[in-house]
Amino acid sequence: MNYAEPMLREDALKDKVAIVTGGGSGLGKAMTKYFLQLGAKVVITSRNLEKLQNTAKELEAETGGKVLAVACDVRNYDEVEAMKEAALKEFGKIDILLNNAAGNFISPTERLSANAFDTIIDIVLKGSKNCTLSIGKHWIDSKTKGTVLNIVTTYAWTGSAYVVPSATAKAGVLAMTRSLAVEWAKYGIRTNAIAPGPFPTKGAWDRLLPGDLQEKFDMTKKVPLRRVGDHQELANLAAYLVSDFSAYVNGEVITIDGGEWLQGAGQFNMLDQIPTEMWDMLEAMIKAKKNG
Ligand code: COA
C-alpha cells in the first residue's frame, strides 16, 4: 500500500452528486475521477466547454460513472445559477460543492493593472462566493444537507509575495469557510477547506514557474519530505472531506504540503543544512559557553 493508491472504500460516495468547478483539468479532474470511482455523479464546470466535454467522455469511459459538463464562468452569478439548474435537471439533487476553480499568475504587484488584480479576485473569491451562495441557498430552501469543500493554499494565512491577488482572494475564501461552517451548520451544511502545497499540474506550473524557472527553483527542496504531492493523495483527502465519513469535521482547513509552509516559517529551520558531524562541534562550543 502507498500514498498514490485510492484510500476510501468503493461505495464511499455512492449516489452523491458533486459539482466540481474547474473540473476539466488538473487537480479538479483528478478529484473528479476519484469521486466517480467512489460512486458519485459529477458536474464539471469551466469556461471551456470543449475541454470539459472531452474530460467528461474520458472519465466516463475510464470509471463507468456519469459526468455532466456545463460551461460556466464562476465570476458570473447568472451563469452559476444556470449551472445549478442544469445539475438539478440532470441529477435531481446536489450533495457536494467543490470550489476548485482558480486563476493565478506570478507578477510583481506594482506591475498589475487594476483589472488584472480584479480578475484573480473575481475568479477565486467571487467565484467561490457565487457558487457557495447559489448552492447554499438551494440547500437551505429545499431543506437538504450538503457539504462545501474549498481549495485554498497555505499562503492564505502566511501571505505570499508575487501572487498577491491570489493570496488576498484565498484568505477571503478561508474566512468564508470558517464563517459558514458555524452559520450554516444548523442547516446541515458542512464547510471545509484543503490547503495543498506543490502538486504539479501543467496549468499551474506553466503560470507559476514559467520557462526555466522549474529547473531553477526545485520545489522538492522547499518540502521537508523532499517530494511534491501525488494527485491521488489530494483526491483521497478531498473524497474523505466530502464523504459522510467526515461528518464531524466542520470549519477545518487541512494542509497537505509535506510540511512546506512550516519549513519556511520556523526561525531556525535553516539549521537543517548543518551536517551531523558539525553538531558535535557546535554542542561542544555551546557547552563551553556555560562554563565560560
Ligand atoms: N502579468 C500581468 N498581468 C496579466 C498577466 C500577467 N502574467 N496575465 C494576465 N494579466 C492581466 C491582463 O493584461 C488583463 O489586464 P488588462 O485588461 O488591464 O490588460 C487581466 O489580467 C485579465 O486578463 P485576461 O487574459 O483578459 O483574463 P482572463 O479572464 O481571460 O484570464 C487568467 C484569467 C489571467 C487568470 C488566465 O491566466 C487564466 O484563464 N487562467 C486559467 C486558470 C488558472 O489560472 N488556474 C490557476 C493555475 S495556478
Side-chain angles (χ1 to χ4, degrees):
M1 209 184 308
N2 74 52
Y3 58 78
E5 287 177 23
M7 180 182 81
L8 293 182
R9 53 193 245 190
E10 274 173 19
D11 63 351
L13 297 178
K14 192 167 182 286
D15 298 328
K16 299 278 190 195
V17 176
I19 292 173
V20 180
T21 67
S25 59
L27 299 178
K29 183 177 171 184
M31 291 186 278
T32 297
K33 182 176 164 190
Y34 192 40
F35 290 2
L36 291 165
Q37 288 170 332
L38 295 173
K41 295 164 196 149
V42 185
V43 181
I44 55 173
T45 79
S46 78
R47 288 171 292 173
N48 185 337
L49 185 59
E50 199 187 328
K51 190 162 99 180
L52 284 175
Q53 285 169 335
N54 288 338
T55 298
K57 227 182 281 169
E58 180 193 324
L59 293 183
E60 283 188 340
E62 227 174 308
T63 66
K66 186 89 193 74
V67 184
L68 177 69
V70 182
C72 170
D73 187 335
V74 290
R75 292 175 280 193
N76 183 324
Y77 195 75
D78 290 342
E79 288 184 39
V80 170
E81 285 278 282
M83 178 272 289
K84 174 182 75 180
E85 292 307 327
L88 289 171
K89 188 163 170 236
E90 180 75 13
F91 295 130
K93 62 166 186 161
I94 298 161
D95 302 288
I96 295 159
L97 169 64
L98 173 50
N99 283 313
N100 164 74
N104 200 5
F105 53 79
I106 49 169
S107 176
T109 307
E110 68 278 14
R111 291 174 60 111
L112 295 174
S113 67
N115 185 45
F117 207 122
D118 284 351
T119 300
I120 304 305
I121 299 279
D122 285 354
I123 297 172
V124 175
L125 180 54
K126 197 168 150 192
S128 301
K129 176 273 289 178
N130 282 345
C131 295
T132 305
L133 193 62
S134 171
I135 311 295
K137 279 171 185 273
H138 160 73
W139 283 331
I140 293 165
D141 291 346
S142 61
K143 297 193 166 42
T144 44
K145 294 181 177 175
T147 184
V148 180
L149 180 61
N150 296 321
I151 303 299
V152 294
T153 161
T154 53
Y155 61 67
W157 57 89
T158 63
S160 177
Y162 303 104
V163 283
V164 171
S166 170
T168 308
K170 293 285 192 183
V173 175
L174 183 56
M176 187 171 72
T177 306
R178 290 173 169 152
S179 306
L180 288 178
V182 173
E183 191 180 329
W184 284 0
K186 58 181 173 285
Y187 303 117
I189 299 169
R190 288 189 302 123
T191 312
N192 289 296
I194 296 178
F199 281 81
T201 63
K202 188 164 166 26
W205 251 220
D206 286 354
R207 285 182 182 83
L208 302 178
L209 293 169
D212 63 357
L213 289 190
Q214 282 175 48
E215 281 97 67
K216 279 208 174 97
F217 300 107
D218 179 358
M219 278 301 202
T220 60
K221 293 213 175 88
K222 290 182 72 231
V223 181
L225 289 175
R226 291 292 176 266
R227 67 172 177 87
V228 293
D230 184 275
H231 289 192
Q232 184 64 44
E233 288 178 280
L234 183 68
N236 284 340
L237 178 58
Y240 167 69
L241 286 175
V242 300
S243 79
D244 293 336
F245 288 114
S246 62
Y248 205 48
V249 182
N250 186 29
E252 188 53 80
V253 52
I254 299 187
T255 301
I256 177 165
D257 73 342
E260 183 204 25
W261 85 268
L262 286 168
Q263 172 160 309
Q267 194 170 28
F268 289 98
N269 288 351
M270 77 288 189
L271 299 183
D272 227 14
Q273 290 172 26
I274 293 180
T276 314
E277 319 79 68
M278 204 187 277
W279 279 112
D280 290 337
M281 193 184 80
L282 292 171
E283 185 181 334
M285 282 166 69
I286 295 162
K287 284 184 172 166
K289 281 272 172 223
K290 192 173 88 176
N291 305 324

